[in-house]
Amino acid sequence: MQVNAYPVLYSFRRCPYAMRARLALAVSHQTCELREVVLSRKPAELRQASAKATVPVLVDTDGRVLDESLDIMLWALQRHDPLCWLPVQGNQADAMHLIKRCDHEFKPQLDRYKYPNQFEIADPGTPRFGGAGFIFDLEQHLTRARYLSGAHWSLADAAIAPFVRQFAHTNSAWFASQPWPKVQTWLANFEASPLFQSVMTKHPPWQPGQAQTLVFD
């Protein structure tokens, strides 16, 4: 088995799952070899690493494979968490519950809203309404505190914001017209942040044999 000097991250720039993994890797300064993937031409190396062949996938230097974005986030932050993103004991259950709702309740509605033809949705307003319920709940969280888990940006914010961003950009004018001022400000601040800008740098698609692209050092 080939041993790599750095963990290898298979990613796709616009994928919200890959985006949230990159956020945690960047904030924890976990240097990785980035392999940007074209989803229509997934490299054999990605398929060999994970049968799912979906991004993100992280292959650690010891060969261990992580192919769930939240697992990659926790792996990075448990190694180094300089900004205290990991929730403290009292907030851990709430943060993980909110992330679970994002992944299992909100994301299916988001997919149907963004890609109605793919799901044979006659009226995209139906899944949009379903997704709006989750956004309303986020608004209530942000009314009680500046961020989803309290006074500072943390795991829940980073895990959820890329999906809210995708939801918002599906119809920006509609999203801006909704009575969600806290969420709108929270999202705008996220998109304007140096951290977000840094993980959205464009890289050419990876090809076997090319020089390493090291990121997050």
Side-chain angles (χ1 to χ4, degrees):
M1 179 176 61
Q2 181 179 358
V3 177
N4 296 302
Y6 299 97
V8 172
L9 177 69
Y10 293 93
S11 181
F12 174 61
R13 179 175 173 271
R14 296 197 307 274
C15 170
Y17 290 109
M19 199 180 298
R20 72 182 185 185
R22 296 196 307 271
L23 289 168
L25 289 164
V27 80
S28 61
H29 303 290
Q30 298 298 320
T31 303
C32 295
E33 177 190 343
L34 178 70
R35 296 183 178 180
E36 180 72 10
V37 171
V38 176
L39 297 182
S40 61
R41 301 194 307 274
K42 295 177 183 177
E45 290 80 358
L46 170 60
R47 298 183 184 277
Q48 291 167 3
S50 170
K52 291 170 58 178
T54 58
V55 293
V57 170
L58 185 137
V59 183
D60 203 353
T61 54
D62 61 2
R64 178 188 178 197
V65 175
L66 299 175
D67 59 7
E68 295 288 346
S69 59
L70 186 57
D71 289 342
I72 296 173
M73 296 183 80
L74 294 173
W75 174 87
L77 295 169
Q78 286 164 0
R79 288 164 66 101
H80 187 46
D81 187 16
L83 299 184
C84 300
W85 277 22
L86 289 174
V88 296
Q89 191 68 30
N91 292 336
Q92 186 172 9
D94 289 343
M96 298 307 291
H97 177 68
L98 200 59
I99 295 169
K100 183 176 180 180
R101 286 192 58 206
C102 173
D103 292 1
H104 298 285
E105 296 177 21
F106 179 63
K107 182 60 164 62
Q109 299 296 333
L110 167 60
D111 289 343
R112 285 159 176 77
Y113 173 40
K114 186 174 177 62
Y115 308 108
N117 292 338
Q118 179 179 332
F119 291 92
E120 299 182 353
I121 303 295
D123 180 11
T126 300
R128 183 171 73 182
F129 179 79
F134 181 70
I135 304 297
F136 176 81
D137 289 347
L138 296 184
E139 182 75 14
Q140 301 311 302
H141 274 78
L142 295 172
T143 298
R144 297 190 293 269
R146 187 174 181 183
Y147 298 102
L148 295 179
S149 290
H152 71 276
W153 183 275
S154 63
L155 177 70
D157 302 276
I160 292 171
F163 299 92
V164 177
R165 176 179 179 270
Q166 195 174 69
F167 186 82
H169 285 272
T170 301
N171 187 327
S172 299
W174 177 85
F175 187 85
S177 72
Q178 300 307 300
W180 302 323
K182 300 291 186 182
V183 171
Q184 290 156 352
T185 298
W186 170 83
L187 180 62
N189 289 341
F190 165 64
E191 292 183 310
S193 69
L195 175 61
F196 174 73
Q197 298 299 324
S198 72
V199 304
M200 293 302 288
T201 301
K202 291 184 178 180
H203 295 276
W206 175 80
Q207 296 181 2
Q210 74 176 46
Q212 288 182 323
T213 299
L214 297 181
V215 292
F216 314 137
D217 52 359

Short mmCIF file of all heavy atoms in Angstrom, two decimals, residues 97-149:
data_model
loop_
_atom_site.label_atom_id
_atom_site.label_comp_id
_atom_site.label_asym_id
_atom_site.label_seq_id
_atom_site.Cartn_x
_atom_site.Cartn_y
_atom_site.Cartn_z
N HIS A 97 -27.70 17.25 17.02
CA HIS A 97 -29.10 17.10 16.59
C HIS A 97 -29.42 18.07 15.46
O HIS A 97 -30.09 17.70 14.48
CB HIS A 97 -30.03 17.32 17.77
CG HIS A 97 -31.49 17.25 17.42
ND1 HIS A 97 -32.11 16.08 17.02
CD2 HIS A 97 -32.45 18.22 17.36
CE1 HIS A 97 -33.38 16.31 16.75
NE2 HIS A 97 -33.61 17.60 16.95
N LEU A 98 -28.93 19.29 15.56
CA LEU A 98 -29.19 20.28 14.52
C LEU A 98 -28.52 19.88 13.21
O LEU A 98 -29.10 20.01 12.13
CB LEU A 98 -28.70 21.65 14.99
CG LEU A 98 -29.28 22.88 14.28
CD1 LEU A 98 -30.80 22.93 14.41
CD2 LEU A 98 -28.66 24.15 14.85
N ILE A 99 -27.30 19.37 13.30
CA ILE A 99 -26.61 18.91 12.11
C ILE A 99 -27.33 17.72 11.49
O ILE A 99 -27.48 17.63 10.26
CB ILE A 99 -25.15 18.54 12.44
CG1 ILE A 99 -24.38 19.79 12.87
CG2 ILE A 99 -24.46 17.89 11.23
CD1 ILE A 99 -23.02 19.49 13.48
N LYS A 100 -27.81 16.81 12.33
CA LYS A 100 -28.56 15.65 11.83
C LYS A 100 -29.82 16.10 11.10
O LYS A 100 -30.17 15.55 10.04
CB LYS A 100 -28.91 14.72 12.99
CG LYS A 100 -29.62 13.45 12.57
CD LYS A 100 -29.87 12.53 13.75
CE LYS A 100 -30.58 11.26 13.33
NZ LYS A 100 -30.82 10.34 14.49
N ARG A 101 -30.50 17.08 11.65
CA ARG A 101 -31.70 17.60 10.98
C ARG A 101 -31.35 18.21 9.63
O ARG A 101 -32.09 18.05 8.65
CB ARG A 101 -32.39 18.64 11.85
CG ARG A 101 -33.14 18.08 13.06
CD ARG A 101 -34.01 19.16 13.67
NE ARG A 101 -34.96 19.66 12.69
CZ ARG A 101 -35.50 20.89 12.73
NH1 ARG A 101 -35.18 21.74 13.71
NH2 ARG A 101 -36.35 21.28 11.81
N CYS A 102 -30.24 18.91 9.58
CA CYS A 102 -29.79 19.49 8.31
C CYS A 102 -29.57 18.40 7.27
O CYS A 102 -30.06 18.49 6.14
CB CYS A 102 -28.50 20.28 8.53
SG CYS A 102 -27.73 20.88 7.01
N ASP A 103 -28.89 17.34 7.68
CA ASP A 103 -28.52 16.30 6.73
C ASP A 103 -29.68 15.41 6.31
O ASP A 103 -29.74 14.98 5.15
CB ASP A 103 -27.42 15.41 7.34
CG ASP A 103 -26.10 16.16 7.52
OD1 ASP A 103 -26.05 17.35 7.18
OD2 ASP A 103 -25.14 15.54 7.98
N HIS A 104 -30.59 15.14 7.23
CA HIS A 104 -31.63 14.15 6.96
C HIS A 104 -33.02 14.75 6.69
O HIS A 104 -33.87 14.07 6.11
CB HIS A 104 -31.71 13.16 8.11
CG HIS A 104 -30.45 12.38 8.30
ND1 HIS A 104 -30.07 11.35 7.46
CD2 HIS A 104 -29.46 12.49 9.23
CE1 HIS A 104 -28.91 10.86 7.86
NE2 HIS A 104 -28.52 11.53 8.93
N GLU A 105 -33.25 15.98 7.11
CA GLU A 105 -34.54 16.63 6.86
C GLU A 105 -34.41 17.74 5.81
O GLU A 105 -35.15 17.76 4.83
CB GLU A 105 -35.09 17.22 8.16
CG GLU A 105 -35.41 16.20 9.24
CD GLU A 105 -35.90 16.85 10.53
OE1 GLU A 105 -36.36 18.02 10.48
OE2 GLU A 105 -35.79 16.21 11.59
N PHE A 106 -33.46 18.63 6.03
CA PHE A 106 -33.32 19.79 5.16
C PHE A 106 -32.71 19.44 3.80
O PHE A 106 -33.21 19.88 2.76
CB PHE A 106 -32.47 20.85 5.86
CG PHE A 106 -32.23 22.10 5.06
CD1 PHE A 106 -33.29 22.91 4.69
CD2 PHE A 106 -30.94 22.47 4.69
CE1 PHE A 106 -33.08 24.08 3.96
CE2 PHE A 106 -30.72 23.63 3.97
CZ PHE A 106 -31.78 24.43 3.59
N LYS A 107 -31.65 18.65 3.80
CA LYS A 107 -30.96 18.35 2.53
C LYS A 107 -31.87 17.68 1.50
O LYS A 107 -31.82 18.05 0.31
CB LYS A 107 -29.73 17.48 2.81
CG LYS A 107 -28.89 17.13 1.57
CD LYS A 107 -28.36 18.38 0.89
CE LYS A 107 -27.22 18.07 -0.09
NZ LYS A 107 -27.59 17.20 -1.20
N PRO A 108 -32.71 16.72 1.85
CA PRO A 108 -33.61 16.16 0.83
C PRO A 108 -34.55 17.21 0.22
O PRO A 108 -34.83 17.18 -0.98
CB PRO A 108 -34.40 15.09 1.59
CG PRO A 108 -33.50 14.69 2.71
CD PRO A 108 -32.81 15.95 3.12
N GLN A 109 -35.05 18.13 1.04
CA GLN A 109 -35.90 19.20 0.52
C GLN A 109 -35.09 20.14 -0.38
O GLN A 109 -35.57 20.57 -1.44
CB GLN A 109 -36.53 19.98 1.67
CG GLN A 109 -37.41 19.17 2.59
CD GLN A 109 -38.65 18.63 1.87
OE1 GLN A 109 -39.13 19.21 0.90
NE2 GLN A 109 -39.17 17.51 2.35
N LEU A 110 -33.87 20.43 0.03
CA LEU A 110 -33.00 21.28 -0.77
C LEU A 110 -32.75 20.68 -2.14
O LEU A 110 -32.83 21.37 -3.16
CB LEU A 110 -31.67 21.49 -0.02
CG LEU A 110 -30.50 22.09 -0.79
CD1 LEU A 110 -30.85 23.47 -1.32
CD2 LEU A 110 -29.25 22.14 0.11
N ASP A 111 -32.45 19.39 -2.19
CA ASP A 111 -32.20 18.73 -3.48
C ASP A 111 -33.41 18.82 -4.39
O ASP A 111 -33.28 19.08 -5.60
CB ASP A 111 -31.83 17.26 -3.25
CG ASP A 111 -30.45 17.09 -2.64
OD1 ASP A 111 -29.66 18.04 -2.67
OD2 ASP A 111 -30.18 15.99 -2.11
N ARG A 112 -34.58 18.62 -3.84
CA ARG A 112 -35.81 18.65 -4.65
C ARG A 112 -36.15 20.06 -5.10
O ARG A 112 -36.70 20.27 -6.18
CB ARG A 112 -36.96 18.02 -3.85
CG ARG A 112 -36.85 16.51 -3.80
CD ARG A 112 -37.63 15.89 -2.66
NE ARG A 112 -37.57 14.42 -2.71
CZ ARG A 112 -36.50 13.72 -2.33
NH1 ARG A 112 -35.43 14.33 -1.88
NH2 ARG A 112 -36.52 12.40 -2.42
N TYR A 113 -35.80 21.04 -4.28
CA TYR A 113 -36.02 22.44 -4.65
C TYR A 113 -35.04 22.88 -5.73
O TYR A 113 -35.42 23.52 -6.71
CB TYR A 113 -35.86 23.29 -3.38
CG TYR A 113 -35.87 24.78 -3.56
CD1 TYR A 113 -36.74 25.41 -4.46
CD2 TYR A 113 -35.02 25.59 -2.80
CE1 TYR A 113 -36.75 26.78 -4.60
CE2 TYR A 113 -35.04 26.97 -2.92
CZ TYR A 113 -35.89 27.56 -3.83
OH TYR A 113 -35.91 28.93 -3.97
N LYS A 114 -33.78 22.48 -5.59
CA LYS A 114 -32.74 22.92 -6.53
C LYS A 114 -32.81 22.16 -7.85
O LYS A 114 -32.51 22.72 -8.91
CB LYS A 114 -31.36 22.73 -5.88
CG LYS A 114 -30.21 23.29 -6.70
CD LYS A 114 -28.90 23.22 -5.92
CE LYS A 114 -27.72 23.70 -6.77
NZ LYS A 114 -27.86 25.12 -7.15
N TYR A 115 -33.20 20.88 -7.79
CA TYR A 115 -33.22 20.04 -9.00
C TYR A 115 -34.61 19.43 -9.19
O TYR A 115 -34.77 18.21 -9.16
CB TYR A 115 -32.18 18.93 -8.89
CG TYR A 115 -30.79 19.42 -8.54
CD1 TYR A 115 -30.25 19.20 -7.27
CD2 TYR A 115 -30.03 20.10 -9.49
CE1 TYR A 115 -28.97 19.64 -6.96
CE2 TYR A 115 -28.75 20.54 -9.18
CZ TYR A 115 -28.23 20.33 -7.91
OH TYR A 115 -26.97 20.76 -7.61
N PRO A 116 -35.66 20.23 -9.41
CA PRO A 116 -37.02 19.69 -9.49
C PRO A 116 -37.22 18.71 -10.64
O PRO A 116 -37.95 17.74 -10.50
CB PRO A 116 -37.89 20.94 -9.66
CG PRO A 116 -36.97 21.99 -10.21
CD PRO A 116 -35.64 21.69 -9.60
N ASN A 117 -36.55 18.95 -11.76
CA ASN A 117 -36.72 18.05 -12.91
C ASN A 117 -36.14 16.67 -12.61
O ASN A 117 -36.71 15.65 -12.99
CB ASN A 117 -36.04 18.64 -14.14
CG ASN A 117 -36.74 19.89 -14.63
OD1 ASN A 117 -37.92 20.11 -14.33
ND2 ASN A 117 -36.03 20.74 -15.35
N GLN A 118 -35.02 16.65 -11.92
CA GLN A 118 -34.39 15.38 -11.59
C GLN A 118 -35.29 14.53 -10.70
O GLN A 118 -35.31 13.29 -10.82
CB GLN A 118 -33.06 15.65 -10.89
CG GLN A 118 -32.29 14.41 -10.46
CD GLN A 118 -30.97 14.76 -9.80
OE1 GLN A 118 -30.36 15.79 -10.06
NE2 GLN A 118 -30.52 13.88 -8.92
N PHE A 119 -36.05 15.18 -9.83
CA PHE A 119 -36.93 14.46 -8.90
C PHE A 119 -38.39 14.46 -9.37
O PHE A 119 -39.27 14.04 -8.62
CB PHE A 119 -36.82 15.09 -7.51
CG PHE A 119 -35.50 14.85 -6.83
CD1 PHE A 119 -34.47 15.77 -6.96
CD2 PHE A 119 -35.28 13.70 -6.10
CE1 PHE A 119 -33.24 15.55 -6.34
CE2 PHE A 119 -34.06 13.48 -5.48
CZ PHE A 119 -33.04 14.40 -5.61
N GLU A 120 -38.62 14.98 -10.58
CA GLU A 120 -39.97 15.04 -11.16
C GLU A 120 -40.92 15.79 -10.23
O GLU A 120 -42.04 15.34 -9.94
CB GLU A 120 -40.48 13.64 -11.47
CG GLU A 120 -39.61 12.90 -12.48
CD GLU A 120 -40.15 11.51 -12.83
OE1 GLU A 120 -41.13 11.08 -12.17
OE2 GLU A 120 -39.61 10.87 -13.74
N ILE A 121 -40.43 16.94 -9.75
CA ILE A 121 -41.24 17.80 -8.87
C ILE A 121 -41.97 18.81 -9.74
O ILE A 121 -41.35 19.63 -10.43
CB ILE A 121 -40.35 18.54 -7.85
CG1 ILE A 121 -39.55 17.53 -7.01
CG2 ILE A 121 -41.18 19.44 -6.96
CD1 ILE A 121 -40.37 16.64 -6.14
N ALA A 122 -43.27 18.76 -9.74
CA ALA A 122 -44.05 19.67 -10.57
C ALA A 122 -43.98 21.10 -10.06
O ALA A 122 -43.93 22.06 -10.84
CB ALA A 122 -45.51 19.20 -10.64
N ASP A 123 -44.01 21.27 -8.75
CA ASP A 123 -44.01 22.60 -8.15
C ASP A 123 -42.83 22.71 -7.18
O ASP A 123 -42.90 22.18 -6.06
CB ASP A 123 -45.32 22.85 -7.42
CG ASP A 123 -45.37 24.23 -6.77
OD1 ASP A 123 -44.48 25.05 -7.05
OD2 ASP A 123 -46.30 24.48 -5.97
N PRO A 124 -41.73 23.40 -7.56
CA PRO A 124 -40.59 23.54 -6.65
C PRO A 124 -40.93 24.27 -5.36
O PRO A 124 -40.18 24.20 -4.39
CB PRO A 124 -39.58 24.36 -7.48
CG PRO A 124 -39.99 24.16 -8.90
CD PRO A 124 -41.49 24.02 -8.87
N GLY A 125 -42.07 24.94 -5.36
CA GLY A 125 -42.48 25.62 -4.14
C GLY A 125 -42.77 24.67 -2.99
O GLY A 125 -42.65 25.05 -1.82
N THR A 126 -43.10 23.43 -3.32
CA THR A 126 -43.41 22.46 -2.26
C THR A 126 -42.18 22.10 -1.44
O THR A 126 -42.19 22.23 -0.21
CB THR A 126 -44.07 21.21 -2.86
OG1 THR A 126 -45.29 21.59 -3.52
CG2 THR A 126 -44.39 20.20 -1.76
N PRO A 127 -41.07 21.64 -2.06
CA PRO A 127 -39.88 21.38 -1.25
C PRO A 127 -39.27 22.65 -0.67
O PRO A 127 -38.65 22.61 0.39
CB PRO A 127 -38.92 20.69 -2.23
CG PRO A 127 -39.40 21.09 -3.59
CD PRO A 127 -40.88 21.24 -3.46
N ARG A 128 -39.46 23.79 -1.37
CA ARG A 128 -38.96 25.05 -0.80
C ARG A 128 -39.67 25.35 0.50
O ARG A 128 -39.04 25.78 1.48
CB ARG A 128 -39.17 26.20 -1.80
CG ARG A 128 -38.61 27.52 -1.30
CD ARG A 128 -38.63 28.58 -2.38
NE ARG A 128 -39.96 29.06 -2.64
CZ ARG A 128 -40.25 29.97 -3.57
NH1 ARG A 128 -39.29 30.46 -4.34
NH2 ARG A 128 -41.50 30.37 -3.76
N PHE A 129 -40.96 25.12 0.54
CA PHE A 129 -41.71 25.32 1.78
C PHE A 129 -41.21 24.37 2.87
O PHE A 129 -41.07 24.76 4.04
CB PHE A 129 -43.20 25.09 1.52
CG PHE A 129 -44.06 25.25 2.75
CD1 PHE A 129 -44.41 26.50 3.22
CD2 PHE A 129 -44.51 24.13 3.44
CE1 PHE A 129 -45.20 26.65 4.36
CE2 PHE A 129 -45.30 24.26 4.58
CZ PHE A 129 -45.64 25.53 5.04
N GLY A 130 -40.92 23.12 2.48
CA GLY A 130 -40.40 22.16 3.45
C GLY A 130 -39.05 22.60 4.00
O GLY A 130 -38.79 22.51 5.20
N GLY A 131 -38.18 23.09 3.13
CA GLY A 131 -36.88 23.57 3.58
C GLY A 131 -36.97 24.83 4.41
O GLY A 131 -36.17 25.05 5.32
N ALA A 132 -37.96 25.65 4.13
CA ALA A 132 -38.12 26.91 4.86
C ALA A 132 -38.39 26.67 6.34
O ALA A 132 -38.04 27.50 7.18
CB ALA A 132 -39.25 27.73 4.24
N GLY A 133 -39.00 25.55 6.67
CA GLY A 133 -39.25 25.24 8.08
C GLY A 133 -37.96 25.12 8.87
O GLY A 133 -37.87 25.58 10.01
N PHE A 134 -36.95 24.52 8.26
CA PHE A 134 -35.66 24.39 8.92
C PHE A 134 -34.99 25.76 9.06
O PHE A 134 -34.41 26.07 10.10
CB PHE A 134 -34.76 23.44 8.14
CG PHE A 134 -33.41 23.22 8.75
CD1 PHE A 134 -33.28 22.50 9.94
CD2 PHE A 134 -32.27 23.73 8.15
CE1 PHE A 134 -32.03 22.29 10.51
CE2 PHE A 134 -31.02 23.52 8.71
CZ PHE A 134 -30.90 22.81 9.90
N ILE A 135 -35.09 26.58 8.02
CA ILE A 135 -34.51 27.92 8.08
C ILE A 135 -35.19 28.73 9.20
O ILE A 135 -34.52 29.47 9.94
CB ILE A 135 -34.65 28.65 6.74
CG1 ILE A 135 -34.00 27.84 5.62
CG2 ILE A 135 -34.02 30.04 6.82
CD1 ILE A 135 -32.52 27.63 5.76
N PHE A 136 -36.49 28.57 9.33
CA PHE A 136 -37.21 29.27 10.41
C PHE A 136 -36.65 28.84 11.77
O PHE A 136 -36.47 29.68 12.67
CB PHE A 136 -38.71 28.97 10.33
CG PHE A 136 -39.50 29.58 11.46
CD1 PHE A 136 -39.87 30.91 11.43
CD2 PHE A 136 -39.87 28.82 12.56
CE1 PHE A 136 -40.59 31.47 12.47
CE2 PHE A 136 -40.59 29.36 13.61
CZ PHE A 136 -40.95 30.71 13.56
N ASP A 137 -36.38 27.56 11.92
CA ASP A 137 -35.82 27.08 13.19
C ASP A 137 -34.42 27.66 13.43
O ASP A 137 -34.07 27.99 14.57
CB ASP A 137 -35.77 25.56 13.21
CG ASP A 137 -37.15 24.93 13.32
OD1 ASP A 137 -38.11 25.67 13.63
OD2 ASP A 137 -37.27 23.71 13.09
N LEU A 138 -33.63 27.78 12.37
CA LEU A 138 -32.32 28.42 12.53
C LEU A 138 -32.48 29.87 12.96
O LEU A 138 -31.69 30.38 13.78
CB LEU A 138 -31.54 28.36 11.22
CG LEU A 138 -31.15 26.98 10.68
CD1 LEU A 138 -30.29 27.13 9.42
CD2 LEU A 138 -30.41 26.15 11.73
N GLU A 139 -33.48 30.54 12.41
CA GLU A 139 -33.74 31.93 12.80
C GLU A 139 -34.01 32.03 14.29
O GLU A 139 -33.53 32.96 14.97
CB GLU A 139 -34.92 32.49 11.99
CG GLU A 139 -35.26 33.94 12.28
CD GLU A 139 -34.28 34.92 11.66
OE1 GLU A 139 -33.48 34.52 10.79
OE2 GLU A 139 -34.33 36.11 12.04
N GLN A 140 -34.76 31.07 14.82
CA GLN A 140 -35.05 31.08 16.25
C GLN A 140 -33.77 30.85 17.06
O GLN A 140 -33.56 31.49 18.10
CB GLN A 140 -36.09 30.00 16.58
CG GLN A 140 -37.41 30.16 15.84
CD GLN A 140 -37.96 31.58 15.93
OE1 GLN A 140 -38.20 32.09 17.02
NE2 GLN A 140 -38.15 32.21 14.78
N HIS A 141 -32.91 29.94 16.60
CA HIS A 141 -31.63 29.73 17.28
C HIS A 141 -30.81 31.02 17.31
O HIS A 141 -30.22 31.38 18.34
CB HIS A 141 -30.82 28.64 16.57
CG HIS A 141 -31.13 27.25 17.00
ND1 HIS A 141 -32.25 26.58 16.58
CD2 HIS A 141 -30.47 26.39 17.83
CE1 HIS A 141 -32.27 25.37 17.12
NE2 HIS A 141 -31.20 25.23 17.88
N LEU A 142 -30.77 31.71 16.18
CA LEU A 142 -29.94 32.90 16.05
C LEU A 142 -30.57 34.11 16.73
O LEU A 142 -29.89 35.12 16.94
CB LEU A 142 -29.67 33.19 14.58
CG LEU A 142 -28.84 32.11 13.87
CD1 LEU A 142 -28.79 32.37 12.36
CD2 LEU A 142 -27.43 32.04 14.45
N THR A 143 -31.82 34.02 17.08
CA THR A 143 -32.45 35.07 17.88
C THR A 143 -32.01 34.96 19.34
O THR A 143 -31.86 35.96 20.04
CB THR A 143 -33.99 34.96 17.79
OG1 THR A 143 -34.37 35.15 16.42
CG2 THR A 143 -34.67 36.03 18.63
N ARG A 144 -31.74 33.72 19.76
CA ARG A 144 -31.32 33.49 21.15
C ARG A 144 -29.82 33.67 21.35
O ARG A 144 -29.36 33.97 22.46
CB ARG A 144 -31.73 32.08 21.58
CG ARG A 144 -33.24 31.84 21.60
CD ARG A 144 -33.57 30.52 22.26
NE ARG A 144 -33.11 29.39 21.48
CZ ARG A 144 -33.84 28.76 20.56
NH1 ARG A 144 -35.07 29.20 20.28
NH2 ARG A 144 -33.35 27.71 19.91
N ALA A 145 -29.04 33.46 20.30
CA ALA A 145 -27.59 33.58 20.40
C ALA A 145 -27.05 34.03 19.04
O ALA A 145 -27.71 33.89 18.01
CB ALA A 145 -26.95 32.26 20.80
N ARG A 146 -25.84 34.54 19.03
CA ARG A 146 -25.27 35.06 17.79
C ARG A 146 -25.01 33.96 16.78
O ARG A 146 -25.10 34.17 15.57
CB ARG A 146 -23.98 35.81 18.10
CG ARG A 146 -23.39 36.53 16.90
CD ARG A 146 -22.21 37.39 17.28
NE ARG A 146 -21.67 38.07 16.12
CZ ARG A 146 -20.60 38.86 16.13
NH1 ARG A 146 -19.96 39.07 17.28
NH2 ARG A 146 -20.17 39.43 15.03
N TYR A 147 -24.68 32.76 17.28
CA TYR A 147 -24.39 31.63 16.40
C TYR A 147 -25.21 30.43 16.84
O TYR A 147 -25.87 30.47 17.88
CB TYR A 147 -22.88 31.33 16.40
CG TYR A 147 -22.07 32.48 15.88
CD1 TYR A 147 -21.38 33.32 16.75
CD2 TYR A 147 -22.00 32.76 14.52
CE1 TYR A 147 -20.64 34.41 16.28
CE2 TYR A 147 -21.27 33.83 14.04
CZ TYR A 147 -20.59 34.65 14.92
OH TYR A 147 -19.89 35.72 14.44
N LEU A 148 -25.14 29.35 16.08
CA LEU A 148 -26.06 28.24 16.31
C LEU A 148 -25.82 27.51 17.61
O LEU A 148 -26.73 26.89 18.15
CB LEU A 148 -26.00 27.26 15.13
CG LEU A 148 -26.48 27.83 13.78
CD1 LEU A 148 -26.35 26.78 12.69
CD2 LEU A 148 -27.93 28.31 13.88
N SER A 149 -24.58 27.56 18.11
CA SER A 149 -24.29 26.89 19.38
C SER A 149 -23.83 27.86 20.47
O SER A 149 -23.27 27.44 21.47
CB SER A 149 -23.21 25.81 19.19
OG SER A 149 -23.73 24.73 18.45
#
